[in-house]
Amino acid sequence: MGVKQQIKEAVELVERGLDKNIRICVTGLSGAGKTAFITSLVNQLLHQKASTKLPFWLAHAEKRIMAVKLIPYKDLHIPEFPYTESLESLDHKQWPASTRNISQIRLSVKYEIKNKWIRKLQKTSHLNIDLIDYPGEWLLDLPLLNLDYENWCRLFNEWLSKGQQSELADQWLSEFDDLESADLNKANIKALSEKFREFLLACKSSGKGIEFIQPGRFVLPGDLEGAPVLDFFPVPNTFSLDKSSEAHQILAQRFNYYRDQVVQPFFKEYFSKVDRQVLLVDVLKVLNQGYDAYKELQQTLSKLVTSFNYGQTNWLKRMFKPQINKLIIAATKSDQVPPEQHNAMKTFLSQMLVEAENQISYQGVSVNNLVFSAIQVAEPVTTEHQGKTIACIKGIELGSNKEVVNFPGKIPVEPMTRKQWKEQEYNFVNFAIPELATNQQLPHQRMDRLIELLVGDKFL
Amino acid sequence: MNDKPIKFDSEQVKTKTNTQGLDNLDELLSDNTKQLPAGINSSKLLQPKKKTKLLKIFAASLSLLIVSAATYEAWQFIQEMFAINPILGGAVSTLVGVVVFTGLGAFIKGRIKSKRLREREVLRESLKVLQTNGTYGKAKSMLDDVSQEFQQEVDISKSLALYQQSLQQSHNDAELIQIYSDQVLSGLDRLALEAINKHATESALMVALSPLAAADMALVAWRSSKMLQDISRIYGCPQTAFGRLGLTKQVATNLMLAGASELIADASVELLGKSVAATVSTKVAQGIGVGILISRFGIQTMRLCRPIEFTNDNKPKLSDVRKLITTKVISLVTAKNKDQILKQGEKDDRA
């Protein structure tokens, strides 16, 4: 009896040691391709059985993956990721709708154990993978957690003075022109907040690569639509408001409420217990948009990524005891780029985020770079042009719905100066969904590498 | 530099679907290949120039002398035969002709296949460069050539089909090479390991059972030569008897030059095998020692023949072979002892 009991305990201990749950947070600014990524990931895993297109997922290549299925998760208050709906929209040649709220999906992977010591105890095991999707807009609230209202105003004014956003701000700033600080009351705070929101929405829809749009709920309020917590704005430099004035206190109070009651619970709930993080970056968009957009994206991502760093004084450390031990920074939409340039694309990505990566690696988190395409909708071809062979991409252009053969320009392998950015032009074309068989494995580029990087080491 | 983006209407231009392996991509690749990863130890000691000029002239003139002497002798022989009888002369000259042609043919054919081994080294180096440089579209044709060489000796159609299916247009050279290594070469590695296992256990048993110590040497030489032939055939570069001598020399040099750490690891495995075996008998211990030596030989041969270098994950380990040899030899010898005891018992019964 005693021996049996001991063996049972040992087995339990091993099972606990092999954490069978892994929580993956998919991070990325809006439009980076999070929804397409999760849809494709779920699709690849569910269709792994007969697939020959996953050679770099080692456990799969070793034929150790027995079965994968979707299972219900325990956090019942979180909506489910709309996997079926996404597939359906692909079926109707539409890209899945952009995320408007948080959602989650859980997959269970049953696999054969390879490790010869653990095999003595059990032959098979399973791994539960939780994937969390949420609007990229909300992510930008993360740096707010470190700020108070005055500091936020200062940083906002710094941001406002630069780049494309300064032009768009004129209309909102003009509202302050004939306003005395004493006149500021609850009524016109609401009106000004409304105008501020309009300005932020204008920034987002400008298409000029303005990324750092804070606070995120102003452009995508979710269930906060119309709530008074969203009625605040930063005080612009052109307007003087006494710190002890009532209006300032109202603004600061609402800012604090937003920070403490909206942002903090959100990140605390969904980012604690996260084991791995994928940061999706659309580098092609900034290549199209030019130097200002590049700088903006670089700064935005650096701020975000380093908000996750685990230094002693960091709020994240204090709050959640984070366990994130792996960060994958991946450039999406590689199918818009001829394959011979994928390497350059990867170099471009890592150069853009080199400082942020350094900081994170220093904390002992492993950082990987990757270039991939979740759903491949265009194919690489070559064509003759002026007697030279050029590598192009053939696909159906989004918008015009015409089939085009596109040479997007050459991605640099060395960082470009402002002048080079001006001289070099890019034209990466967004492609529409072609005829796809959605009841089988979706075509992809390097999803298998991503799976291996994300969860490969968990298949013991 | 003409890197401006261009967009065509797909009906107005001719396109070619990208198969992996475009020939004229050099211009596109040139910038990528400029970037060499830092920290690769690329310095290497050059082979000393072995033959001096004098030696070369000596070898050439000596062989010329021998060939001319042989031709002269043959000529005289044929003439003598003709003098005896024209029919006899005719028969002898045809015979000489056949001998010369078949001999030359076999020699050249063997040379061509043997030469592949030397080409393998070059290929290995260039594939390694492709793997580190992140190029695109260059490896495919090289790997296809190697596949052809394999197919002359081994049936790899299934794994080759799997490899073709796994390929995607987006895979770069490094990815391509890795897939090839995982899906095609791993099968050959398994075959080669089986061959090593077979020959190593065989010779371990022979040595363990052979009554004559002098015969051991011959046994080892014979079995190891046979094993080299098998392994080189598995990897599509079969060696002639002559080539096998060269290969043996190469393998032996490599064994000697193997890193100290590897030697220590190997030695500990050997010691472990022997200490277990020595408790049974010294002859058995010798057998196991020989078996392990032969498997080391085999693994080194694999390394020389394989077109893609082993990585830490897939390199064959001596310990796997060692266990098999030890158990086989010991089980056999103990069985033999049992027989002897039984026979002894029967004798005693009769007496």
Side-chain angles (χ1 to χ4, degrees):
Chain A
M1 272 305 277
V3 176
K4 252 186 191 173
Q5 190 64 30
Q6 275 178 343
I7 289 175
K8 205 179 151 198
E9 271 173 21
V11 170
E12 272 173 14
L13 199 72
V14 169
E15 286 206 11
R16 231 178 301 146
L18 309 166
D19 47 352
K20 290 180 169 175
N21 288 301
I22 187 164
R23 204 171 162 90
I24 297 166
C25 185
V26 183
T27 324
L29 300 176
S30 66
K34 291 187 294 297
T35 310
F37 166 68
I38 296 179
T39 308
S40 173
L41 184 61
V42 173
N43 175 279
Q44 307 296 339
L45 289 174
L46 289 180
H47 291 91
Q48 53 83 29
K49 195 94 195 168
S51 170
T52 54
K53 299 283 183 202
L54 299 168
F56 287 105
W57 179 15
L58 289 184
H60 181 262
E62 289 163 351
K63 303 201 167 44
R64 291 199 286 123
I65 306 297
M66 297 158 75
V68 183
K69 66 168 187 175
L70 287 170
I71 57 169
Y73 49 88
K74 284 179 192 144
D75 318 287
L76 293 179
H77 59 289
I78 309 176
E80 190 174 334
F81 177 80
Y83 174 64
T84 340
E85 287 84 342
S86 296
L87 271 191
E88 220 156 80
S89 73
L90 288 179
D91 215 17
H92 292 100
K93 301 191 185 177
Q94 294 279 323
W95 284 102
S98 74
T99 315
R100 305 199 60 84
N101 209 336
I102 187 151
S103 61
Q104 185 175 348
I105 194 163
R106 173 176 275 197
L107 288 147
S108 185
V109 184
K110 197 166 174 82
Y111 65 99
E112 253 175 62
I113 291 173
K114 188 187 180 188
N115 185 298
K116 65 176 177 183
W117 297 109
I118 302 169
R119 265 189 83 87
K120 290 191 199 305
L121 287 171
Q122 51 181 151
K123 294 273 184 278
T124 63
S125 183
H126 65 275
L127 177 74
N128 292 337
I129 304 172
D130 283 327
L131 293 162
I132 300 157
D133 184 28
Y134 63 95
E137 287 87 348
W138 296 357
L139 182 66
L140 292 165
D141 286 343
L142 188 57
L144 286 184
L145 290 171
N146 276 332
L147 301 174
D148 59 12
Y149 182 65
E150 276 137 54
N151 278 323
W152 179 55
C153 290
R154 189 171 49 77
L155 289 176
F156 174 81
N157 282 313
E158 260 171 42
W159 172 77
L160 197 64
S161 61
K162 285 181 293 188
Q164 312 278 349
Q165 51 269 33
S166 60
E167 294 160 26
L168 292 165
D170 287 345
Q171 207 201 338
W172 176 62
L173 290 177
S174 69
E175 297 282 329
F176 289 92
D177 285 349
D178 33 54
L179 201 69
E180 288 295 319
S181 57
D183 294 344
L184 216 55
N185 55 30
K186 277 194 176 170
N188 50 21
I189 283 179
K190 188 167 176 62
L192 281 169
S193 305
E194 207 46 52
K195 292 282 174 194
F196 176 59
R197 223 173 125 178
E198 277 167 26
F199 156 66
L200 291 181
L201 284 167
C203 284
K204 186 167 160 52
S205 55
S206 68
K208 285 173 183 157
I210 305 173
E211 297 288 358
F212 200 66
I213 298 168
Q214 242 179 7
R217 303 269 174 167
F218 278 53
V219 285
L220 197 71
D223 47 5
L224 288 180
E225 185 74 64
V229 61
L230 296 188
D231 289 340
F232 67 93
F233 52 85
V235 182
N237 272 344
T238 52
F239 188 72
S240 61
L241 186 65
D242 190 25
K243 277 181 193 169
S244 58
S245 70
E246 196 190 345
H248 190 277
Q249 277 172 5
I250 293 175
L251 290 173
Q253 186 203 351
R254 286 182 181 166
F255 173 83
N256 289 343
Y257 187 89
Y258 180 81
R259 184 192 61 196
D260 298 337
Q261 304 301 324
V262 177
V263 180
Q264 186 161 323
F266 173 75
F267 283 104
K268 187 167 182 168
E269 171 146 23
Y270 303 118
F271 282 67
S272 57
K273 293 180 289 175
V274 165
D275 304 292
R276 311 246 153 125
Q277 197 180 8
V278 192
L279 176 65
L280 302 180
V281 186
D282 187 357
V283 295
L284 306 179
K285 198 163 102 188
V286 293
L287 281 168
N288 273 345
Q289 286 167 339
Y291 186 72
D292 286 337
Y294 170 75
K295 277 283 163 200
E296 169 89 3
L297 183 68
Q298 185 178 37
Q299 282 163 10
T300 308
L301 290 178
S302 303
K303 267 182 210 156
L304 281 182
V305 159
T306 45
S307 295
F308 282 104
N309 89 24
Y310 315 118
Q312 283 297 315
T313 56
N314 193 280
W315 59 269
L316 197 72
K317 181 98 177 174
R318 288 198 303 266
M319 252 168 55
F320 315 141
K321 293 188 199 140
Q323 309 152 328
I324 298 178
N325 51 13
K326 221 173 194 181
L327 170 68
I328 295 160
I329 303 180
T332 52
K333 307 179 186 176
S334 69
D335 57 341
Q336 296 179 14
V337 184
E340 38 276 280
Q341 293 196 43
H342 284 181
N343 210 39
M345 193 172 160
K346 191 170 156 187
T347 316
F348 182 82
L349 175 73
S350 66
Q351 275 162 359
M352 182 163 83
L353 294 173
V354 67
E355 280 177 38
E357 264 183 39
N358 257 339
Q359 286 203 28
I360 300 165
S361 308
Y362 192 82
Q363 313 288 336
V365 178
S366 91
V367 182
N368 288 291
N369 281 330
L370 187 80
V371 168
F372 83 106
S373 163
I375 304 168
Q376 187 186 349
V377 294
E379 73 169 330
V381 293
T382 53
T383 187
E384 296 281 329
H385 178 66
Q386 295 172 346
K388 276 169 102 182
T389 306
I390 48 176
C392 301
I393 294 293
K394 189 165 96 173
I396 301 158
E397 193 176 13
L398 195 69
S400 71
N401 263 342
K402 267 189 2 197
E403 196 180 53
V404 293
V405 175
N406 183 41
F407 176 69
K410 202 164 172 185
I411 301 177
V413 281
E414 271 155 44
M416 290 192 288
T417 60
R418 187 185 275 270
K419 187 162 162 275
Q420 283 170 317
W421 268 95
K422 278 219 174 99
E423 284 165 1
Q424 183 65 284
E425 290 166 36
Y426 293 101
N427 182 23
F428 293 98
V429 171
N430 279 317
F431 292 104
I433 311 265
E435 216 43 76
L436 275 181
T438 47
N439 54 356
Q440 64 183 40
Q441 192 188 9
L442 292 170
H444 69 94
Q445 291 180 351
R446 298 199 183 83
M447 279 297 288
D448 48 343
R449 287 224 134 177
L450 227 164
I451 294 172
E452 179 64 29
L453 283 175
L454 262 182
V455 292
D457 56 335
K458 292 282 174 185
F459 300 106
L460 292 166
Chain B
M1 203 162 81
N2 186 17
D3 292 336
K4 297 276 176 234
I6 320 165
K7 189 157 74 188
F8 309 94
D9 198 315
S10 82
E11 282 156 24
Q12 281 160 19
V13 285
K14 268 192 205 164
T15 58
K16 214 172 76 185
T17 307
N18 250 10
T19 49
Q20 280 277 344
L22 299 167
D23 317 323
N24 40 5
L25 281 173
D26 287 338
E27 292 164 38
L28 295 162
L29 289 169
S30 52
D31 275 16
N32 288 354
T33 41
K34 270 186 205 160
Q35 284 219 325
L36 274 173
I40 282 187
N41 186 4
S42 47
S43 330
K44 206 170 150 189
L45 188 64
L46 291 174
Q47 285 280 319
K49 280 176 190 157
K50 273 187 212 150
K51 287 180 185 168
T52 58
K53 237 180 188 176
L54 225 62
L55 259 175
K56 263 188 191 170
I57 295 171
F58 168 73
S61 48
L62 183 71
S63 41
L64 198 69
L65 187 73
I66 292 169
V67 170
S68 53
T71 328
Y72 177 74
E73 282 289 318
W75 178 244
Q76 273 203 331
F77 179 60
I78 291 169
Q79 270 187 336
E80 273 172 32
M81 288 299 126
F82 265 111
I84 296 166
N85 189 335
I87 299 170
L88 193 64
V92 167
S93 44
T94 6
L95 200 66
V96 170
V98 168
V99 167
V100 168
F101 271 106
T102 49
L104 259 180
F107 181 72
I108 289 169
K109 225 176 164 184
R111 280 297 282 202
I112 289 173
K113 283 194 175 177
S114 293
K115 233 180 112 188
R116 282 186 194 160
L117 187 68
R118 249 170 293 158
E119 285 161 5
R120 281 290 155 82
E121 204 182 328
V122 182
L123 182 71
R124 206 158 42 230
E125 283 299 311
S126 38
L127 285 178
K128 202 167 135 190
V129 170
L130 291 186
Q131 256 182 319
T132 44
N133 281 356
T135 51
Y136 176 83
K138 283 187 166 177
K140 173 83 171 146
S141 57
M142 290 188 195
L143 293 177
D144 283 350
D145 289 347
V146 179
S147 301
Q148 290 239 316
E149 292 179 7
F150 289 151
Q151 274 173 313
Q152 290 173 18
E153 311 290 337
V154 201
D155 178 20
I156 52 164
S157 52
K158 264 189 191 161
S159 48
L160 211 56
L162 189 67
Y163 156 73
Q164 302 279 13
Q165 278 176 351
S166 309
L167 285 193
Q168 277 172 283
Q169 293 165 352
S170 56
H171 285 144
N172 61 27
D173 286 338
E175 288 167 327
L176 207 72
I177 292 168
Q178 202 185 330
I179 296 175
Y180 193 83
S181 174
D182 288 348
Q183 307 205 326
V184 181
L185 290 185
S186 63
L188 297 178
D189 294 342
R190 223 167 300 137
L191 271 183
L193 275 177
E194 271 168 33
I196 292 176
N197 262 337
K198 184 173 146 259
H199 288 293
T201 35
E202 267 177 21
S203 30
L205 288 178
M206 283 183 200
V207 171
L209 299 179
S210 87
L212 263 178
D216 295 357
M217 297 259 277
L219 274 176
V220 170
W222 171 46
R223 289 327 292 172
S224 61
S225 163
K226 183 83 180 74
M227 181 181 67
L228 290 197
Q229 189 187 13
D230 284 0
I231 294 175
S232 59
R233 224 170 78 81
I234 288 169
Y235 285 104
C237 49
Q239 295 298 299
T240 54
F242 198 62
R244 246 179 289 161
L245 272 182
L247 183 60
T248 314
K249 195 176 135 197
Q250 235 176 318
V251 169
T253 329
N254 267 306
L255 270 184
M256 280 195 293
L257 296 180
S261 61
E262 210 171 312
L263 270 183
I264 290 166
D266 284 4
S268 63
V269 167
E270 269 186 68
L271 279 178
L272 198 68
K274 272 183 188 160
S275 62
V276 171
T279 55
V280 183
S281 102
T282 43
K283 196 68 190 166
V284 169
Q286 278 173 7
I288 289 170
V290 163
I292 286 168
L293 181 71
I294 286 196
S295 24
R296 277 176 70 188
F297 239 71
I299 289 171
Q300 206 56 248
T301 316
M302 281 170 77
R303 239 172 244 175
L304 286 175
C305 295
R306 204 175 192 265
I308 300 168
E309 259 180 32
F310 282 117
T311 59
N312 271 337
D313 294 329
N314 64 6
K315 76 175 172 202
K317 286 187 208 94
L318 195 59
S319 50
D320 303 337
V321 189
R322 195 261 312 164
K323 207 173 167 190
L324 194 89
I325 297 170
T326 317
T327 45
K328 268 217 171 161
V329 173
I330 290 179
S331 68
L332 190 106
V333 173
T334 44
K336 194 185 127 196
N337 284 346
K338 231 185 252 164
D339 283 350
Q340 276 180 350
I341 293 163
L342 278 177
K343 272 179 198 161
Q344 193 66 44
E346 278 171 23
K347 263 186 205 165
D348 290 345
D349 285 347
R350 260 176 252 142

